[in-house]
Amino acid sequence: MKKSFVGALALLSSVVLVACSNGTGTSSPDTVLTSDAGTITKDQLYTALKSQAGSATLQRLVMIQVLEKDAGDQKDTLKKEADAEVATQMTQYGGEEGLTSILKQSGFSSIDMYKETVYLNKLINAAVKKATTFTDAEVQAHYDAWQPKITVQHILIASKATDDPTAIAAAKQKAVDLIGQLNGGADFATLAKENSDDTGSKESGGTIGPFSHNEMVAPFSDAAYALANVGDYTKEPVQTDYGFHIIKLTDKPAKEALDKVRATMEEEMLNEKLKDSAYIHSIVGKLIQEANIKINDEDLKDALAEFLPADAGAASSSEAASSSSEASSSN
């Protein structure tokens, strides 16, 4: 649906430009299509497209305009980054056809639509970064709760059927047996390569990290960070939704002074803001409100309602209705 809207809108724009520039290309400036069955006018096309995706499309177009203005010269760099990112993904998936197939599974009707979404996300991130600052107290509070990233090795014994008590017990017992071998001096990396069900790490001896506490599921992180010294390993299997883990600490850097890691603190805090949809919405909403937008089409009057205060939305609707009434009177 989105692809047809954008494509048709592009066609409509080209028709208008041709008609305005030299008066050729259509039988009438208001006619988009002619056939033996009749004609389709710009108003008919606009009305149909508007009813299908008008509000969502107008919202997206406004957001891009407002955010581009906020980004200033940076928008050109962000556009190039979006293009390069999509080009890389296209190569990874074997070309345009491969990427298009993957995108359709996520609801994108075209690569151009996906590219625009990537660009819009970059504009949003840039706006949030520009608008976000942290006080010394906020940075200090984050630092007080912060722990450096650690690196571990782990062995996963997957529970083949999490609702089968027998399978769960068998997986746990295998983990217990492996811990017994470690207690007897067995090499952790060798046991990981031979027994771990984590295909992503087993060949490296089960190595994972560096990772922060909130990057892993809670039971895993809690057990890993509870290990005091490099070389320590969990003496009991650690259960997560994936199965049972045996975890060995291989690197745990000392916590440096705040003045040495302040940039890291602020970067982590900013990343948390970029994951906060309510915060992002407030930043974008503020920019849209400051743009003094007036929607003249009564049918689209609520397209930006979620970004505007209730009284502003009502005023906008009243103005749109007034404009529509005046237009009708003049006709």
Side-chain angles (χ1 to χ4, degrees):
M1 182 184 299
K2 293 180 179 178
K3 182 177 182 181
S4 62
F5 179 83
V6 174
L9 189 56
L11 173 62
L12 174 57
S13 299
S14 65
V15 170
V16 173
L17 289 173
V18 170
C20 291
S21 62
N22 56 28
T24 63
T26 61
S27 59
S28 165
D30 293 325
T31 302
V32 174
L33 178 148
T34 62
S35 72
D36 293 342
T39 62
I40 296 177
T41 67
K42 289 188 295 185
D43 284 344
Q44 289 175 313
L45 179 60
Y46 175 74
T47 299
L49 295 174
K50 181 173 62 175
S51 67
Q52 294 177 30
S55 292
T57 302
L58 181 60
Q59 184 181 107
R60 186 175 70 252
L61 293 173
V62 168
M63 287 176 65
I64 290 175
Q65 280 190 339
V66 170
L67 291 169
E68 282 185 334
K69 180 180 179 181
D70 185 65
D73 293 339
Q74 188 185 8
K75 69 178 184 295
D76 296 327
T77 300
L78 297 175
K79 184 67 168 63
K80 290 178 180 178
E81 289 178 358
D83 290 345
E85 186 174 313
V86 174
T88 298
Q89 292 176 347
M90 192 180 302
T91 300
Q92 292 173 341
Y93 289 105
E96 183 175 342
E97 184 176 347
L99 180 57
T100 299
S101 177
I102 294 295
L103 292 177
K104 284 183 179 179
Q105 297 176 26
S106 301
F108 290 97
S109 59
S110 71
I111 291 178
D112 285 342
M113 182 61 68
Y114 174 63
K115 188 181 295 184
E116 183 181 80
T117 300
V118 173
Y119 176 51
L120 178 56
N121 285 338
K122 289 183 178 295
L123 286 170
I124 291 173
N125 286 353
V128 172
K129 291 177 182 179
K130 181 178 178 180
T132 303
T133 57
F134 300 105
T135 65
D136 289 342
E138 289 173 328
V139 176
Q140 181 67 54
H142 185 82
Y143 173 77
D144 291 341
W146 174 78
Q147 297 178 27
K149 292 185 176 184
I150 63 174
T151 302
V152 303
Q153 290 172 285
H154 89 126
I155 300 170
L156 169 65
I157 306 302
S159 299
K160 303 301 183 183
T162 56
D163 58 347
D164 182 350
T166 302
I168 294 174
K172 182 177 182 180
Q173 185 58 52
K174 183 175 180 179
V176 170
D177 293 342
L178 290 173
I179 291 174
Q181 294 182 48
L182 290 171
N183 292 339
D187 179 65
F188 195 101
T190 299
L191 291 183
K193 292 177 181 179
E194 294 175 349
N195 298 277
S196 182
D197 292 317
D198 181 1
T199 57
S201 69
K202 65 183 298 181
E203 293 306 319
S204 64
T207 298
I208 297 180
F211 61 88
S212 59
H213 196 287
N214 62 1
E215 290 180 307
M216 309 295 284
V217 294
F220 187 97
S221 281
D222 291 344
Y225 271 88
L227 296 169
N229 303 302
V230 171
D232 289 351
Y233 57 88
T234 53
K235 302 301 183 180
E236 296 290 337
V238 177
Q239 186 175 13
T240 70
D241 290 340
Y242 301 99
F244 293 91
H245 307 258
I246 307 165
I247 307 169
K248 178 182 178 180
L249 183 65
T250 59
D251 186 42
K252 188 174 186 177
K255 186 172 181 176
E256 296 183 278
L258 174 57
D259 60 341
K260 293 186 177 181
V261 295
R262 185 183 181 100
T264 299
M265 299 298 96
E266 294 189 358
E267 181 180 357
E268 290 186 0
M269 295 168 71
L270 180 60
N271 287 336
E272 290 177 3
K273 292 292 189 183
L274 290 171
K275 296 176 183 177
D276 186 343
S277 58
Y279 182 75
I280 292 173
H281 191 279
S282 69
I283 297 299
V284 175
K286 184 174 184 293
L287 291 173
I288 288 178
Q289 292 168 33
E290 292 173 349
N292 193 32
I293 296 168
K294 293 180 174 60
I295 300 176
N296 297 320
D297 190 311
E298 175 67 16
D299 294 329
L300 298 175
K301 66 181 185 300
D302 295 324
L304 301 174
E306 65 177 282
F307 294 107
L308 302 175
D311 55 347
S316 177
S317 299
S318 176
E319 290 178 7
S322 176
S323 298
S324 176
S325 176
E326 290 175 2
S328 299
S329 299
S330 64
N331 291 335

